[in-house]
Amino acid sequence: MDDTAARPKSLKFKEPVIDVAFSPTTNLVASSLITGHVFVHKYDVGSNQRQVRGKPHKKSCRSLCFSGDGSLLYTASKDRSWQAMDVETGAETTRIDAAHEKPLNLIKYVNEQIVATGDEAGCVKLWDVRQKKQAFSYSEHVDYVSDMVFHAPKRHLLATSGDGCLSVYDVRKAKPFQVSANQDDELLSVAVIRGGSKVVVGETDGVMGIFSYGQFGDVTDRFPGHPQSIDSICKLTEDLCVTGSSDGLLRIVQFFPHKLIGVAGDHQALPVEKVVLSYDQQWLASCSHDHTVHFWDIGYIYADEDEDDEAGEAAEQKDTNESKEDDELDAQAVAIRISRDVDSDDDEDEDESEVDIDGCSDAGELRTSEETHPEETHTDAAKPDKPSLDAGADSEEVDIEDNSESESDNGWGSWGGSSDDEAKAAKPKKKRRKGDELADKRKARVELARPTQSHKRKTERKAFFAGL
């Protein structure tokens, strides 16, 4: 709490202020006095201007609230009447006298068709504002109605009472939805938090009771910490509330986990009757027994929340980007693995297809070729070795050549009168021998072991992708 911060000036009155309410659409604040007077002021940091002053009730005006569009102001009085006032002109538009058997204690705007009222005896009534007559009446409580809140998603009206019970009403039905067990203490205030999953109530002993929505039989959690009664609860966010206590302090309370965050305002030990939040979430207004309506700056709460939201969004965006990058890297890794598998298969296919010896594409076919000509192997083995006439030829080849010549010209060879060219042309075709096939096998193995240029390029590409 910063007392030096710029804020609207406090509104001072001659009589005690019982209730205060902000307009939901503009910078107007309404105040009700114990004398039955009602005031509407336009507030600003520089100055405040009075818009409406009137006395709609003969006795004290105990409660007031604005309509949803801010055009009407509803008030309830100890004289058992409630009425609606035009905010711009101050003219009365609706008035219901003798609305309850007992003095009214509270009035609450529900929607454009319904207004709820509660009295000192615990009776709650719903009013049709169009037909200006009572719609439903509930008598579940035996003591005064202290506070009410409307939960629009469920169309439930929740009310607390001095008898220690919380009651829940479906505004479309004539019977109550549910009534809690007695909490052995007066319930003074109520608010719906945590996105409608929890209901918090303030008690006279300074304890905040927490109900799980839909399970209104008994509280599911309790949060002590206030030294005196909690007379008013104002919801800030789904996890934060401001409480007005009898010790004069406005405390900022966090739920789940439960803890006191700080102090938003101080009425110097005078009991706080009511605390409310402005439509732009910038100011709190509270009233006490000092005849004054005070304004407190609360905008920093929402500024911090916006920063947290922005930080959360930035972190979420970062996580999303990182996730996308991870997905891209995973996709690249999968592509690399697939490329490696394909290259490996291609290399195997190339290695197998590069070997072609006399129509034999692999070692298995070579072995098959050997098995299909066993007579050549046995014939070669049976022939005797002879000295070589040609240094570049194998001994077995020379033996075959000499034998063929001796059969044709009785061993004289080319000396029989033919030229060297004729001798070469007449030379019979060599037959493949076991030594030739073994040499070819060794050559094929060497070729398989020697990487080709294409294989080198693929190896370099693999190394490049592996480094990513």
Side-chain angles (χ1 to χ4, degrees):
M1 180 181 65
D2 186 4
D3 293 333
T4 63
R7 55 182 178 175
K9 293 182 179 179
S10 299
L11 302 175
K12 297 184 180 296
F13 300 94
K14 295 180 179 180
E15 300 294 337
V17 182
I18 299 179
D19 199 7
V20 62
F22 276 114
S23 169
T25 58
T26 186
N27 57 332
L28 294 178
V29 60
S31 310
S32 64
L33 306 185
I34 196 172
T35 60
H37 287 85
V38 173
F39 292 86
V40 178
H41 287 83
K42 186 175 183 179
Y43 62 90
D44 198 356
V45 174
S47 63
N48 301 320
Q49 298 178 359
R50 189 174 70 187
Q51 303 293 312
V52 176
R53 179 186 184 276
K55 189 179 181 182
H57 301 287
K58 297 178 181 179
K59 296 183 180 181
S60 62
C61 183
R62 292 180 171 179
S63 179
L64 50 74
C65 63
F66 282 90
S67 62
D69 58 4
S71 62
L72 298 176
L73 180 66
Y74 296 95
T75 61
S77 173
K78 185 181 178 180
D79 62 9
R80 299 189 299 139
S81 68
W82 68 268
Q83 63 99 37
M85 174 194 301
D86 187 283
V87 173
E88 290 185 0
T89 64
E92 181 181 289
T93 60
T94 302
R95 186 176 185 88
I96 303 295
D97 292 318
H100 287 246
E101 295 180 359
K102 298 294 182 178
L104 272 68
N105 210 40
L106 193 67
I107 189 167
K108 187 70 176 180
Y109 174 81
V110 175
N111 54 40
E112 64 276 2
Q113 301 175 4
I114 300 174
V115 171
T117 57
D119 63 22
E120 289 181 349
C123 179
V124 175
K125 291 186 178 183
L126 300 180
W127 300 88
D128 188 333
V129 297
R130 296 173 301 178
Q131 299 182 6
K132 300 181 181 181
K133 67 178 184 179
Q134 174 184 309
F136 299 116
S137 178
Y138 310 97
S139 300
E140 308 305 318
H141 297 290
V142 297
D143 205 344
Y144 67 97
V145 177
S146 58
D147 196 9
M148 290 190 292
V149 64
F150 180 62
H151 184 49
K154 298 288 186 179
R155 295 189 180 181
H156 285 169
L157 179 69
L158 295 85
T160 54
S161 172
D163 62 6
C165 297
L166 171 70
S167 58
V168 183
Y169 308 98
D170 190 327
V171 298
R172 300 164 294 181
K173 299 180 180 180
K175 293 183 178 181
F177 177 75
Q178 197 170 356
V179 179
S180 74
N182 193 301
Q183 300 301 306
D184 299 325
D185 198 3
E186 296 182 16
L187 304 185
L188 305 178
S189 50
V190 60
V192 180
I193 60 173
R194 302 286 289 180
S197 64
K198 299 292 181 180
V199 177
V200 57
V201 296
E203 304 177 8
T204 56
D205 61 358
V207 175
M208 304 189 78
I210 302 174
F211 292 86
S212 294
Y213 205 97
Q215 303 175 9
F216 298 108
D218 201 355
V219 295
T220 57
D221 200 358
R222 293 171 64 85
F223 177 37
H226 292 72
Q228 298 182 33
S229 63
I230 304 170
D231 300 317
S232 180
I233 297 177
C234 176
K235 176 181 174 181
L236 298 179
T237 67
E238 297 299 333
D239 300 319
L240 294 177
C241 288
V242 172
T243 60
S245 180
S246 295
D247 63 357
L249 293 180
L250 304 179
R251 294 178 174 86
I252 303 175
V253 182
Q254 176 181 308
F255 298 96
F256 302 99
H258 310 329
K259 60 182 177 180
L260 297 175
I261 300 297
V263 176
D266 187 2
H267 281 268
Q268 304 300 322
L270 295 176
V272 178
E273 293 291 338
K274 190 67 174 289
V275 55
V276 289
L277 178 66
S278 65
Y279 78 101
D280 57 359
Q281 300 178 334
Q282 182 65 39
W283 312 107
L284 290 175
S286 60
C287 59
S288 183
H289 295 177
D290 55 1
H291 305 185
T292 305
V293 173
H294 294 278
F295 295 92
W296 316 95
D297 186 5
I298 201 67
Y300 62 89
I301 293 291
Y302 299 94
D304 294 342
E305 184 179 2
D306 292 340
E307 291 177 359
D308 293 340
D309 292 342
E310 292 177 359
E313 292 176 358
E316 183 178 356
Q317 183 65 29
K318 182 179 179 181
D319 294 339
T320 302
N321 295 336
E322 291 179 354
S323 178
K324 290 181 179 179
E325 292 178 359
D326 293 340
D327 293 340
E328 292 176 358
L329 292 177
D330 292 341
Q332 291 180 1
V334 171
I336 291 172
R337 287 196 296 270
I338 293 175
S339 176
R340 289 177 177 176
D341 294 339
V342 172
D343 291 342
S344 177
D345 294 340
D346 293 343
D347 293 342
E348 292 178 0
D349 295 340
E350 290 179 1
D351 292 342
E352 292 176 357
S353 61
E354 286 176 359
V355 181
D356 188 7
I357 302 174
D358 287 344
C360 300
S361 59
D362 56 17
E365 294 185 7
L366 288 174
R367 287 193 298 271
T368 303
S369 177
E370 295 175 6
E371 293 173 358
T372 55
H373 303 283
E375 68 279 1
E376 295 182 2
T377 305
H378 295 300
T379 303
D380 295 337
K383 292 185 178 298
D385 296 335
K386 291 186 178 181
S388 176
L389 299 178
D390 187 356
D394 293 338
S395 59
E396 295 178 353
E397 295 178 358
V398 175
D399 293 340
I400 295 297
E401 181 181 351
D402 293 342
N403 291 337
S404 62
E405 290 178 357
S406 61
E407 292 177 359
S408 61
D409 55 6
N410 295 325
W412 289 101
S414 60
W415 299 337
S418 63
S419 64
D420 293 339
D421 295 334
E422 293 176 353
K424 290 181 180 179
K427 186 176 180 180
K429 184 178 180 180
K430 295 182 181 179
K431 294 183 179 181
R432 297 187 61 80
R433 297 293 182 260
K434 181 177 181 181
D436 296 335
E437 294 177 357
L438 294 176
D440 291 338
K441 290 180 183 180
R442 288 193 297 269
K443 182 178 179 181
R445 284 195 292 269
V446 171
E447 292 294 331
L448 287 173
R450 183 184 299 115
T452 62
Q453 293 297 327
S454 174
H455 184 66
K456 288 182 180 180
R457 288 194 298 270
K458 292 178 181 177
T459 303
E460 293 174 354
R461 185 170 67 252
K462 291 180 184 178
F464 172 76
F465 280 103
L468 292 178

